[in-house]
Amino acid sequence: MNRRTAIQQLFIIAGGMMIASSCSSDRNKASIELANIDVSAEEEDVLGNVVEAIIPKTDSPGARELNLHLFVLKMVDDCHGPEDQKRFLDGLKNAKSQKGKTTSEIQEYLKNLPADDAFLSLVKKRTIQGYLNSEYVMKNKLIYELVPARYNGALKIEA
């Protein structure tokens, strides 16, 4: 075997290992990579239903369709301390009882939570933040004009 063939085969094997490792993902993990919190696919689904109950689909897309549950997960993972993350995970485990329920039933569950519930306040805050900063809202709901008024240089002013 010559050196050129050995190097070529080494690159083929390395490429195959990279492709194989990317294809074998854990189906019980969340669909996004999280560094600080451990969320299962089932918990991600429950969170998707909870955010959909906060911003349901009407004539505009709902929170789940805009993937706000992933935004909430990423914000909790990146921007909150360990205490908030623990409270969030505890609330998410309690919300697992709402799996498979309708949006109105989940809304009723959320209404029955205490007003100072850490999980509810965190999820509401981050869901609304994600919705207001989503591409859909920025392009379709907010009409942004760079200058507050249009300039018309040919406008005659009556004195």
Side-chain angles (χ1 to χ4, degrees):
M1 178 184 294
N2 62 22
R3 185 173 21 163
R4 187 170 289 175
T5 306
I7 291 174
Q8 183 181 19
Q9 289 178 350
L10 181 68
F11 279 118
I12 290 172
I13 291 171
M17 288 174 41
M18 285 178 42
I19 290 172
S21 65
S22 67
C23 292
S24 65
S25 64
D26 187 5
R27 302 224 185 270
N28 293 327
K29 300 293 278 179
S31 60
I32 59 172
E33 188 174 333
L34 302 170
N36 300 316
I37 60 176
D38 187 27
V39 178
S40 68
E42 180 185 15
E43 291 170 332
E44 179 185 333
D45 185 50
V46 168
L47 182 62
N49 293 337
V50 169
V51 298
E52 183 69 23
I54 294 172
I55 302 178
K57 181 176 182 169
T58 56
D59 59 337
S60 61
R64 185 163 192 124
E65 191 174 336
L66 295 173
N67 289 323
L68 296 184
H69 60 293
L70 300 178
F71 176 79
V72 171
L73 283 174
K74 196 64 173 168
M75 291 301 286
V76 170
D77 187 56
D78 289 347
C79 301
H80 289 273
E83 301 86 27
D84 286 342
Q85 291 172 352
K86 183 180 180 334
R87 283 187 230 131
F88 172 78
L89 291 174
D90 291 343
L92 192 56
K93 284 185 187 2
N94 293 337
K96 272 186 169 180
S97 64
Q98 302 304 305
K99 184 176 182 187
K101 294 195 175 179
T102 65
T103 302
S104 59
E105 291 172 330
I106 296 172
Q107 286 172 340
E108 192 62 37
Y109 167 77
L110 295 176
K111 285 179 189 175
N112 291 332
L113 289 176
D116 61 342
D117 186 63
F119 170 74
L120 179 62
S121 63
L122 192 141
V123 170
K124 266 187 177 178
K125 175 183 170 185
R126 294 303 182 184
T127 300
I128 292 169
Q129 177 189 13
Y131 184 75
L132 293 176
N133 292 313
S134 69
E135 180 181 359
Y136 172 78
V137 170
M138 290 294 182
K139 285 186 174 180
N140 301 318
K141 297 292 183 185
L142 295 177
I143 308 301
Y144 179 74
E145 201 169 317
L146 183 61
V147 180
R150 298 197 184 273
Y151 175 72
N152 186 354
L155 182 68
K156 292 190 179 194
I157 299 175
E158 307 221 2

